[in-house]
Amino acid sequence: MNFLGSHILSINQFDTQDVEALFSVADQMKPYAHRELKTRVLEGAILGSLFFEPSTRTRISFGCAFNLLGGQVRETTGIKTSALAKGESLYDTARVISGYSDIIAMRHPMDGSVDEFSKASRVPVINAGDGSAEHPSQALLDLYTIKKELNINNDFDGLNIALVGDLKYGRTVHSLCKLLKLYKNISFTLVSPNELKMPKEIVDDLLAAGHRVNETEDMETALHDKHLVYLTRIQEERFSSQEEANIYRGRFRLNQSIYTAHCQPNTVIMHPLPRDSRAEANELDSDLNQHPSLAIFRQTDNGVLIRMALFALTLGVEKDIERTSSKVGWYTDRRF
Ligand code: NCD
């Protein structure tokens, strides 16, 4: 893919070389994300941040990533506070906001909405989650995290992973499967309630690409030989009622004792977050918070690096970052 000026809408746009290129730029972003260096490479540029669905880390990390490259962020959150609530079309919103911005990050509850929006946009659009369809930047930061946690040098062949929870509506696992599909001989154990299985077309694509797929409702057995376990929240906002979602909440839970009994000693634990910490759900228990294999907060930190890299590549400034960088004197001195 040619990143420059491209919309980032789906993992289907990527090949393994694109992933490698992105990860290499992400690596270079560390001193900026860690506030050791600053760059003004995107000075004067504006990110239009449109989050028509709840978000904490995705919205803030896109914003931080843009700020860390020297750009500014203008944003709207929620449908009710935007002109979409007055009946404005995605086409009109796209024409308007792309007149104000150099790049747009957008989340919307409808599958395919970001794609539709991008067709009317005059600037690149990054899909920050469209309904239950895709969440490409999350999958990229997840794979980057897998690379770091397992000390892999861009060769993800032979991974043995379990994806657990709401695999039907979870867009993060849809994008992650599409991304892992690019590699070879991966063993996927898909643990979900029977009613919330991974969409058939995604499973069929994995099988057609030569991967192994095992679908099950038995989480404990599934954990045994895994390099990593990726848990997800029941996507209650996609169900027709709270009561229907409640049927599945709490069905699969990972805690310290289950981990010790069933996982390898260093099976990596991932979750896109937010984890539902209410007692009736609690899919990933806080008694694992100090566990060295719990990667969830390294995942969120990595999100900033990946999003900086996406901005740098789509806006074509990745080679200018070092030239425009300087030390962050006052701040590093005062860190505690
Ligand atoms: C996920 C999402 O929005 O799809 N969150 C995120 O972006 N990290 C997962 C979720 O909401 O369960």
Side-chain angles (χ1 to χ4, degrees):
M1 162 174 54
N2 181 10
F3 281 94
L4 185 62
S6 291
H7 303 304
I8 308 290
L9 301 171
S10 165
I11 287 296
N12 293 335
Q13 295 168 250
F14 286 78
D15 64 22
T16 54
Q17 282 177 356
D18 300 327
V19 174
E20 227 172 283
L22 182 78
F23 287 1
S24 144
V25 177
D27 283 341
Q28 292 163 39
M29 297 300 142
K30 272 193 195 134
Y32 304 96
H34 295 167
R35 319 295 199 269
E36 289 148 22
L37 293 174
K38 65 180 176 195
T39 171
R40 311 305 308 166
V41 76
L42 286 184
E43 189 148 46
I46 293 179
L47 166 69
S49 168
L50 309 180
F51 277 74
F52 299 117
E53 257 199 339
S55 174
T56 302
R57 74 223 79 239
T58 305
R59 181 171 65 87
I60 302 293
S61 69
F62 266 116
C64 284
F66 209 74
N67 289 152
L68 286 166
L69 291 169
Q72 294 179 43
V73 183
R74 286 286 171 270
E75 65 187 349
T76 185
T77 55
I79 286 198
K80 287 204 186 102
T81 51
S82 81
L84 292 180
K86 299 180 181 176
E88 186 169 62
S89 65
L90 287 172
Y91 177 90
D92 285 2
T93 308
R95 289 303 302 263
V96 173
I97 302 302
S98 61
Y100 301 156
S101 319
D102 298 277
I103 189 163
I104 293 169
M106 175 176 165
R107 168 172 290 189
H108 190 282
M110 209 170 71
D111 293 23
S113 52
V114 184
D115 186 79
E116 183 186 334
F117 178 98
S118 74
K119 293 197 166 70
S121 171
R122 292 169 273 174
V123 300
V125 177
I126 302 182
N127 181 1
D130 63 319
S132 55
E134 279 230 39
H135 193 346
S137 65
Q138 178 73 43
L140 292 161
L141 77 87
D142 287 340
L143 191 66
Y144 185 76
T145 303
I146 294 171
K147 172 179 158 74
K148 300 292 166 187
E149 295 296 312
L150 295 174
N151 215 357
I152 293 173
N153 185 23
N154 293 318
D155 170 14
F156 299 93
D157 300 353
L159 267 185
N160 189 359
I161 68 170
L163 304 177
V164 181
D166 183 350
L167 306 184
K168 177 177 179 185
Y169 295 119
R171 56 192 169 202
T172 67
V173 281
H174 299 165
S175 289
L176 184 58
C177 283
K178 292 180 185 190
L179 189 54
L180 286 167
K181 189 187 77 178
L182 300 176
Y183 301 90
K184 291 199 179 58
N185 197 25
I186 296 183
S187 189
F188 293 86
T189 301
L190 306 179
V191 184
S192 69
N194 203 30
E195 300 82 353
L196 302 181
K197 280 162 75 170
M198 183 67 77
K200 187 174 177 312
E201 56 280 13
I202 295 182
V203 173
D204 288 347
D205 280 354
L206 292 175
L207 292 170
H211 301 294
R212 268 164 300 158
V213 179
N214 168 29
E215 297 183 274
T216 176
E217 292 194 89
D218 175 2
M219 182 182 84
E220 296 183 357
T221 310
L223 294 175
H224 279 156
D225 49 356
K226 298 294 175 283
H227 295 118
L228 76 107
V229 51
Y230 188 106
L231 298 131
T232 63
R233 177 181 67 89
I234 297 298
Q235 307 282 293
E236 57 185 26
E237 62 275 37
R238 312 270 176 242
F239 289 80
S240 51
S241 69
Q242 181 71 53
E243 291 68 40
E244 197 197 341
N246 285 346
I247 299 171
Y248 306 106
R249 293 172 77 213
R251 182 83 67 90
F252 300 112
R253 298 165 186 245
L254 185 64
N255 59 26
Q256 179 77 57
S257 72
I258 296 174
Y259 184 92
T260 310
H262 299 284
C263 289
Q264 296 291 313
N266 49 9
T267 297
V268 176
I269 308 164
M270 293 175 61
H271 190 304
L273 300 182
R275 52 178 158 169
D276 185 344
S277 294
R278 290 168 287 192
E280 61 277 22
N282 205 21
E283 69 265 5
L284 176 54
D285 202 296
S286 58
D287 70 358
L288 283 160
N289 278 359
Q290 304 309 320
H291 198 287
S293 295
L294 185 80
I296 56 176
F297 301 118
R298 294 189 287 276
Q299 261 174 288
T300 51
D301 284 352
N302 289 336
V304 173
L305 305 177
I306 289 295
R307 291 177 174 127
M308 288 177 82
L310 282 172
F311 286 136
L313 285 162
T314 47
L315 295 174
V317 297
E318 74 280 9
K319 296 205 169 63
D320 302 316
I321 292 169
E322 231 177 276
R323 189 172 50 75
T324 57
S325 80
S326 56
K327 278 229 171 304
V328 184
W330 67 270
Y331 184 69
T332 21
D333 289 350
R334 284 167 183 72
R335 291 205 89 164
F336 49 85

